[in-house]
Amino acid sequence: MFVRPPAEIGMAEQDVDTPALIIDLDVFEANLAHMAETVRSLGIAHRPHAKTHKSADIARRQVAAGAVGQCCQKVGEAEVLVAGGVQDILVSNQIVGQRKIDRLAALAREARIAVCVDDAQNVADLSAAARRFGTELDVLVEIDIGAERCGTMPGAPAVTLAQQVAAAPSLTFAGLQAYQGRAQHIRGHGERRQAILHAAKLVRETVAALEAAGLACRLVTGAGTGTYPFEAETGVWNEIQAGSYCFMDADYQLNLDADGEQDATFRQSLFVLATVMSRPTRDRAVTDAGLKAASVDSGLPRPAGLEDVTYVGASDEHGTLTLGPRAPELALGQKLRLVPGHCDPTVNLHDWYVGIRNGTVETIWPVGARGAGF
Amino acid sequence: MFVRPPAEIGMAEQDVDTPALIIDLDVFEANLAHMAETVRSLGIAHRPHAKTHKSADIARRQVAAGAVGQCCQKVGEAEVLVAGGVQDILVSNQIVGQRKIDRLAALAREARIAVCVDDAQNVADLSAAARRFGTELDVLVEIDIGAERCGTMPGAPAVTLAQQVAAAPSLTFAGLQAYQGRAQHIRGHGERRQAILHAAKLVRETVAALEAAGLACRLVTGAGTGTYPFEAETGVWNEIQAGSYCFMDADYQLNLDADGEQDATFRQSLFVLATVMSRPTRDRAVTDAGLKAASVDSGLPRPAGLEDVTYVGASDEHGTLTLGPRAPELALGQKLRLVPGHCDPTVNLHDWYVGIRNGTVETIWPVGARGAGF
């Protein structure tokens, strides 16, 4: 329920208890610096998504590097971020249900809070709660630009909803949420770009229709780690939400760059540290990191820096490795780093980040919003 | 990190905040009673696996129903169970690493603790720690009877290791851990039974070889919800470890009984309660329960009791439903129950169980060992 940290500051990485979520701090900081420099040169704002890291410690570092604030998906995440000092938050999601809406409206006493809508009744509910709490909420209309998940249709339906927002007491129409989630993991660079260029057309038309109706978009926000250069290129978005860039994962590393090579813009900084707990045969090693240590929804973890070692099966508490002829010995008790298949749900399995530099534990940060699902 | 409960005792299920892990208490209690009656009639002991529920509240109820104690996989789970009053625990797993071994040895001051081994050095490490802490550990030799994960080979290698255990100070050789994990989800009743009958031959031969070497097996333990009647039938095992029976999941419900029908011995008592948070189109509803609310390693969740509604996609915080022509309306804000694909890793995503009876919240139990991965 509330687990002690698996490490102490100053200990060697090899002494960290496992499974543990570790951050290579040099790579992590380089990822933050590279993104900060990139968005400056692109002339666009960056509001990193905290659904990836769920950590006010990381959020504050992103803001210090130039980010305008944070995105999150859940009211509970927003509460943790505000308590940790983040002053400008976009809940890039619909918040439905009286209890949640009340908490969101109350939170706007302490920070600038924006939220997304795709339904007129939800607009009315948000307005009523904000009035009751004496607060103001920024509201973005979410449009579906190809993800086929939430959001109104672009164009006229978005304008109608924006007008309802603009007319609602205690709400301010703040712009459009336009995120093409399905494009993030299209492997080919050209196909991925095309998906965003297609989406941009829908966003541009919607912005124009809103302007024709007298509604200015302060924010046009969206984009992820897989596509943000394309959103920036279109000039339609003025804010990007990329979050995974700080950690990366095995799935994102399958995306290709313009030369058809593995895109190496950001490097892997997040790992699940595991221990070899059984060596039953010459070609099999079993680690203590299974389904409860790394989410497998986007594929199995990948051992880092070990030749000819493959993670072939995850059960609840075990990860089975197959060792090929060129594999290292992997003795019982040996520690190894695993690259998680998907960083966001993997982070949500852990209570602590263990930050490593030069083989030593330098920092321990809580995953403050772990489990903050509502 | 430490999340408030999503409910209060006495509130209606419809008012529980979501996503929430709910237990249908009538079904849960019927599952416990049915298993207790079954193991009594089979003349076998039951040591339910706490890796499923991670809860001392549930463990105590299982013990009250006749269970001899609990299994778990991690030292952290054992600590939570002992603190919650469980007095007899088998860690059905190898514990490797000084820090973990020390905690395990220390815990044996407070409860009877057994642990599994498949390596001679690990036997020596356990012995040294138990001596240092002035405790005694029961030790089982794990044999691989077809799961191809941990464990020594049956027969002579198991005897050698058992002799090492028997000779080690502060350790008692307690028997065999023999779990055929791969057989649990073989769909056909006959094929599943055959896998266990094959495994039983290996266990029987190993027990005989141990006896020939003067080593009696107090415990021959294993079996899961998918196979325990077969282990009992062989007369080789004297203890079963079935754990999922108390909750069930979508994956276990695909197992067939002897008539080729869905096995209905145990009914679904565990659900993820979700809210419809977006209704963008006539045939699509989006819920607030995605990858961080239900583990999808064994398949997507299944909406319970809703005709023609299919959960078709899980993203981090969203679950997308497709509504067919006969589907109910599913208005924005409506709550629905989802059957998780796999109960164990789903439970590990939540901090609280919300126990429901007759539509009302009757109990709230912590998932006390959630995240206790080390």
Side-chain angles (χ1 to χ4, degrees), chain B residues 17 96 115 117 139-140 156 176 201 217 232 278 292 300 305 309 370:
Chain B
D17 211 349
V96 172
V115 65
V117 298
V139 176
L140 290 87
L176 294 177
K201 186 169 169 293
C217 289
S278 179
K292 296 178 187 173
L300 293 173
V309 178
R370 188 221 59 76

Side-chain angles (χ1 to χ4, degrees), chain A residues 100-153:
Chain A
K100 288 187 179 80
I101 289 174
D102 285 355
R103 285 162 52 210
L104 187 74
L107 195 63
R109 289 176 179 157
E110 300 180 53
R112 180 168 200 167
I113 303 289
V115 64
C116 297
V117 298
D118 67 1
D119 178 86
Q121 181 59 50
N122 189 224
V123 171
D125 292 345
L126 289 165
S127 171
R131 282 187 75 177
R132 208 161 51 248
F133 283 88
T135 54
E136 296 281 331
L137 293 170
D138 286 338
V139 175
L140 289 87
V141 170
E142 179 169 6
I143 56 174
D144 180 356
I145 54 172
E148 296 185 357
R149 199 171 63 186
C150 303
T152 63
M153 286 295 104

Side-chain angles (χ1 to χ4, degrees), chain A residues 25 28-29 32 36 48 55-67 70 86 245 362-363 365:
Chain A
L25 291 170
F28 170 78
E29 290 168 5
L32 258 58
S55 157
D57 294 277
I58 292 176
R60 287 193 304 267
R61 281 164 175 78
Q62 291 173 321
V63 170
Q70 294 275 299
V86 179
Y245 77 98
E362 179 174 303
T363 56
W365 297 328

Side-chain angles (χ1 to χ4, degrees), chain A residues 51 118 149 278 284 316, chain B residues 51 118 149 278 284 316:
Chain A
K51 80 186 183 74
D118 67 1
R149 199 171 63 186
S278 179
R284 192 195 322 143
D316 286 337
Chain B
K51 79 186 184 73
D118 66 0
R149 200 171 61 186
S278 179
R284 189 193 328 142
D316 287 337

Side-chain angles (χ1 to χ4, degrees), chain B residues 84-108:
Chain B
V86 179
Q87 277 297 304
D88 189 335
I89 290 173
L90 162 58
V91 182
S92 59
N93 203 6
Q94 289 68 34
I95 298 301
V96 172
Q98 198 58 53
R99 189 169 157 164
K100 288 186 178 80
I101 288 174
D102 284 355
R103 286 162 51 209
L104 187 75
L107 195 63

Side-chain angles (χ1 to χ4, degrees), chain A residues 27-361:
Chain A
V27 176
F28 170 78
E29 290 168 5
N31 288 345
L32 258 58
H34 182 76
M35 180 60 98
E37 177 54 32
T38 302
V39 296
R40 261 194 299 274
S41 71
L42 292 169
I44 199 168
H46 184 207
R47 184 186 293 275
H49 218 304
K51 80 186 183 74
T52 297
H53 57 65
K54 289 179 168 275
S55 157
D57 294 277
I58 292 176
R60 287 193 304 267
R61 281 164 175 78
Q62 291 173 321
V63 170
V68 297
Q70 294 275 299
C71 290
C72 63
Q73 297 285 67
K74 301 283 188 172
V75 180
E77 293 173 340
E79 289 169 337
V80 168
L81 292 172
V82 170
V86 179
Q87 278 296 304
D88 189 335
I89 290 172
L90 163 59
V91 182
S92 59
N93 202 7
Q94 289 68 35
I95 299 301
V96 171
Q98 197 58 51
R99 192 169 154 162
K100 288 187 179 80
I101 289 174
D102 285 355
R103 285 162 52 210
L104 187 74
L107 195 63
R109 289 176 179 157
E110 300 180 53
R112 180 168 200 167
I113 303 289
V115 64
C116 297
V117 298
D118 67 1
D119 178 86
Q121 181 59 50
N122 189 224
V123 171
D125 292 345
L126 289 165
S127 171
R131 282 187 75 177
R132 208 161 51 248
F133 283 88
T135 54
E136 296 281 331
L137 293 170
D138 286 338
V139 175
L140 289 87
V141 170
E142 179 169 6
I143 56 174
D144 180 356
I145 54 172
E148 296 185 357
R149 199 171 63 186
C150 303
T152 63
M153 286 295 104
V159 174
T160 301
L161 195 59
Q163 289 170 324
Q164 288 163 334
V165 172
S170 302
L171 304 185
T172 301
F173 173 68
L176 294 177
Q177 164 76 11
Y179 175 61
Q180 215 316 14
R182 290 205 173 168
Q184 300 308 313
H185 295 273
I186 297 174
R187 299 308 177 199
H189 188 267
E191 294 87 335
R192 204 157 66 246
R193 180 167 176 268
Q194 278 307 315
I196 298 306
L197 297 187
H198 173 73
K201 185 169 171 292
L202 301 171
V203 181
R204 193 179 287 114
E205 290 167 2
T206 306
V207 171
L210 286 162
E211 283 176 356
L215 291 165
C217 289
R218 180 172 68 81
L219 289 174
V220 179
T221 182
T225 296
T227 63
Y228 72 92
F230 311 134
E231 277 92 346
E233 163 196 347
T234 65
V236 177
W237 282 264
N238 58 13
E239 185 178 279
I240 63 165
Q241 301 177 354
S244 298
Y245 77 98
C246 67
F247 292 151
M248 298 302 284
D249 57 34
D251 195 23
Y252 260 124
Q253 291 193 352
L254 295 175
N255 279 1
L256 304 178
D257 65 15
D259 300 323
E261 305 287 330
Q262 180 191 318
D263 193 321
T265 309
F266 300 103
R267 285 161 53 216
Q268 189 66 36
S269 74
L270 183 83
F271 303 90
V272 174
L273 191 71
T275 299
V276 176
M277 54 173 284
S278 179
R279 277 306 316 272
T281 67
R282 241 169 57 89
D283 62 354
R284 192 195 322 143
V286 183
T287 72
D288 59 358
L291 298 172
K292 296 178 186 172
S295 188
V296 303
D297 59 272
S298 302
L300 294 173
R302 194 167 48 69
L306 295 176
E307 194 188 16
D308 220 7
V309 178
T310 312
Y311 189 111
V312 293
S315 45
D316 286 337
E317 292 86 7
H318 299 87
T320 301
L321 308 178
T322 296
L323 313 185
R326 299 184 312 285
E329 191 187 349
L330 286 187
L332 200 75
Q334 188 170 331
K335 305 278 168 72
L336 63 152
R337 291 179 170 194
L338 300 171
V339 177
H342 187 180
C343 54
D344 297 20
T346 296
V347 165
N348 188 51
L349 296 169
H350 295 266
D351 286 280
W352 302 96
Y353 290 107
V354 178
I356 306 278
R357 199 184 318 264
N358 299 327
T360 302
V361 176

Side-chain angles (χ1 to χ4, degrees), chain B residues 22-239:
Chain B
I22 66 171
I23 298 177
D24 183 317
L25 291 171
D26 284 339
V27 175
F28 170 78
E29 290 168 5
N31 287 346
L32 258 58
H34 182 76
M35 180 60 97
E37 177 55 32
T38 302
V39 296
R40 263 193 298 275
S41 70
L42 292 170
I44 198 167
H46 185 206
R47 184 186 295 275
H49 218 305
K51 79 186 184 73
T52 297
H53 56 63
K54 288 177 169 274
S55 156
D57 295 277
I58 292 175
R60 287 194 302 268
R61 281 163 175 79
Q62 291 173 321
V63 170
V68 296
Q70 295 274 300
C71 290
C72 63
Q73 297 284 69
K74 301 282 188 172
V75 180
E77 293 172 340
E79 289 169 336
V80 168
L81 292 172
V82 170
V86 179
Q87 277 297 304
D88 189 335
I89 290 173
L90 162 58
V91 182
S92 59
N93 203 6
Q94 289 68 34
I95 298 301
V96 172
Q98 198 58 53
R99 189 169 157 164
K100 288 186 178 80
I101 288 174
D102 284 355
R103 286 162 51 209
L104 187 75
L107 195 63
R109 290 177 178 156
E110 301 180 52
R112 180 168 201 167
I113 303 289
V115 65
C116 297
V117 298
D118 66 0
D119 179 86
Q121 181 58 50
N122 190 222
V123 170
D125 292 344
L126 289 165
S127 172
R131 283 186 76 178
R132 207 161 51 249
F133 283 91
T135 55
E136 296 281 330
L137 292 170
D138 286 339
V139 176
L140 290 87
V141 170
E142 178 167 5
I143 55 173
D144 181 356
I145 54 171
E148 297 185 355
R149 200 171 61 186
C150 303
T152 63
M153 285 296 102
V159 173
T160 302
L161 196 59
Q163 288 170 324
Q164 288 162 334
V165 171
S170 302
L171 304 185
T172 301
F173 173 68
L176 294 177
Q177 164 76 9
Y179 175 60
Q180 216 313 15
R182 289 205 175 169
Q184 301 307 314
H185 295 274
I186 297 174
R187 300 309 177 197
H189 187 267
E191 294 87 335
R192 205 158 64 246
R193 180 166 175 268
Q194 278 308 316
I196 298 305
L197 296 187
H198 172 74
K201 186 169 169 293
L202 302 172
V203 181
R204 192 180 289 115
E205 290 167 2
T206 306
V207 170
L210 286 162
E211 283 175 356
L215 291 165
C217 289
R218 180 172 69 81
L219 288 173
V220 179
T221 181
T225 295
T227 64
Y228 72 90
F230 311 134
E231 276 92 346
E233 164 194 346
T234 65
V236 177
W237 282 264
N238 60 13
E239 186 178 280

